[in-house]
Amino acid sequence: MDAPTTTSSAGSDGSGGNSGDWGWFTPSRKPAEDRRAPDQQSDERAPSRPVNPIRPVGTGADRRTPAEPAPAPGPGAGDRRTDDRRTDDRRTDDRRAPGPAGHGPAAPGPAAPGREEHQRPDEVAPAPQDVRPGPDSPFVAPETASPDAILLRRTMAEVEPISDKVTSYFYALLFVQHPELRPLFPAAMDAQRDRLFKAILTAARLIDDLDILTEFLSRLGRGHRKYGTRPEHYPAVGECLIGALTRYAVTTWSDEAEAAWVRAYTQISQIMIDSAAEDELVAPAWWQAEVVGHELRTHDIAVITVRPDQPYPFLAGQYTSLETPWWPRVWRHYSFASAPRSDGLLSFHVKAVPAGWVSSALVHRARPGDVIRLGPPAGSMTVDHASDNGLLCLGGGTGIAPIKALVEDVAEHGRNRPVEVFYGARSDHDLYDIDTMLRLAQKYPWLAVRPVVSDGPTNGLSGRLPDAVRQYGPWNAFDAYLSGPPGMIRSGVDALMGIGIPSHRIRHDSIEELAAAAE
């Protein structure tokens, strides 16, 4: 889940935002004279940016808010009307997140706002209960889980059924307590709304799997550079995360749970900060790219070719995030439609979808001379050139783009490995790139291309793409690659595993990222 979470910088003065000197960490800044060209820094490692212990924001009776924060302006998370928060949604637990007055966490005091001095502690908040995830919950902690992981998963199990409310409250806190950050997000938050919160919860669930956690967060940290994310932005997110969990994790929240979340978020933010700092030494935050070719293949599919303003390193099968000038701060993922080229040009296959802001703009509005922005490359759907296995490739719709790139990559490495491509579409008309694929098959004897059409008459195979694959084989000596709509990926994985291909030999992009790309 390389999912966007933050955007352009709120400032670069190194002040650490409005979190104060006692914030969750104090980011260090490289002196200006040390910022040499990337080719002078290739052997360096960025210094670790220290994370300081979090000053408690208060728990239980010490943290109370007279009223919930008003919704932030704009659609998405900040567009929740107060009359939608029904009385029965309010918890009897009076613990509340920090209120909107001020930009930092409210320090606990002897008489917090809303608490009368004559109140007894047992009248303020009930003792938290020991709530454990059910046996089928994804938040069940393994027997070897650390105490912190157990506490984190119990909290996540409680808030998961009401994740929409928690997410909305989280963004309301963020935009009210830190209004300077609101302009950094897209104007419409419908696609953005869940990504940041889900990314944090995913990282928290991986807290005991350090290798996987580091890989996941390092990728996020590098990817977030294109949004202008700075170390000083992390305290605001963390404060509001704690505030949202405090508000809704009524039965599982405690001093111990909060301490566990503080430790987890400190670790999460540090990994992302360090990975971004290391990446800053060798790569730009984004690339400008001029549109040099725009070919409309069907009424809603275009092949777009761009020229980056500087060398853009990537591998066949990977994808990038793309921002258009018409929808600032709105990024979508698109796969590269070719292997790296000697002329440095990049190509993408884009299908305009209903209400798709970026896709519609690219198909119907973009023209040669327009300039877009590219984020860093990502994705692991790449060829293992040390293996002798063949490639079984399933490409649905514009998912044929990275499959074509994989074929070119195999050809450039000069090894005659068998490559079997199943190209799926609804009709023959939708096989917009079939001529290109058939020309490649004529050129390379190790390549076979089979079109598969699900609706209507066809000169190729009829039916669903996964069903067509079952008719051929065996596939024991093949690695599988899938690219296309999320539904096709899910059914394709099930079909491939059903015919005996182990999961570690099946590669595809993240389902969540695929869903986010179709907008």
Side-chain angles (χ1 to χ4, degrees), residues 201-491:
L201 296 187
T202 298
R205 192 171 62 176
L206 297 172
I207 203 68
D208 280 350
D209 298 320
L210 186 57
D211 290 342
I212 299 176
L213 177 68
T214 301
E215 179 182 359
F216 171 66
L217 292 176
S218 295
R219 178 165 53 87
L220 285 182
R222 293 189 298 268
H224 288 175
R225 290 185 57 218
K226 68 179 178 289
Y227 304 109
T229 305
R230 303 296 305 172
E232 53 265 29
H233 297 158
Y234 284 83
V237 173
E239 294 162 9
C240 297
L241 168 69
I242 296 295
L245 294 177
T246 303
R247 169 68 177 84
Y248 283 99
V250 175
T251 57
T252 58
W253 200 253
S254 64
D255 289 344
E256 292 77 13
E258 180 168 299
W261 276 98
V262 165
R263 287 188 290 268
Y265 186 81
T266 300
Q267 182 179 9
I268 289 169
S269 58
Q270 184 69 76
I271 293 173
M272 295 182 67
I273 291 168
D274 287 347
S275 67
E278 291 179 4
D279 192 57
E280 190 175 3
L281 297 174
V282 297
W286 63 77
W287 286 254
Q288 303 277 7
E290 179 186 359
V291 176
V292 296
H294 187 284
E295 179 187 357
L296 200 62
R297 293 285 184 87
T298 71
H299 73 282
D300 59 355
I301 295 178
V303 175
I304 298 172
T305 304
V306 302
R307 178 186 292 112
D309 61 346
Q310 53 188 306
Y312 188 100
F314 73 99
L315 298 175
Q318 289 190 307
Y319 61 89
T320 187
S321 50
L322 188 154
E323 179 199 46
T324 71
W326 305 286
W327 296 106
R329 300 182 301 277
V330 178
W331 296 77
R332 295 292 183 263
H333 295 122
Y334 293 98
S335 295
F336 299 103
S338 68
R341 296 166 49 166
S342 58
D343 58 11
L345 298 181
L346 310 173
S347 293
F348 305 95
H349 295 184
V350 182
K351 179 182 176 64
V353 298
W357 295 1
V358 175
S359 63
S360 295
L362 289 172
V363 172
H364 300 302
R365 188 168 182 176
R367 293 293 181 270
D370 291 331
V371 176
I372 63 175
R373 290 206 299 181
L374 306 174
S380 58
M381 199 181 75
T382 56
V383 178
D384 178 6
H385 292 289
S387 171
D388 292 326
N389 287 345
L391 276 66
L392 170 60
C393 302
L394 283 67
T398 53
I400 197 64
I403 300 301
K404 173 175 170 287
L406 294 177
V407 171
E408 295 177 352
D409 192 34
V410 172
E412 289 177 4
H413 279 75
R415 297 180 60 194
N416 294 331
R417 299 168 62 180
V419 178
E420 300 275 345
V421 174
F422 289 81
Y423 180 9
R426 292 186 180 276
S427 68
D428 279 345
H429 174 73
D430 294 326
L431 295 169
Y432 68 93
D433 210 33
I434 189 61
D435 291 341
T436 302
M437 298 303 299
L438 292 177
R439 283 196 297 268
L440 290 173
Q442 292 175 352
K443 183 177 181 180
Y444 303 116
W446 42 262
L447 172 63
V449 176
R450 297 183 176 90
V452 183
V453 170
S454 61
D455 302 328
T458 177
N459 295 323
L461 302 174
S462 296
R464 296 169 62 249
L465 196 58
D467 296 334
V469 175
R470 293 190 185 98
Q471 301 176 23
Y472 293 83
W475 306 113
N476 299 336
F478 284 74
D479 294 331
Y481 296 80
L482 296 89
S483 179
M488 190 221 84
I489 299 295
R490 293 188 182 96
S491 61

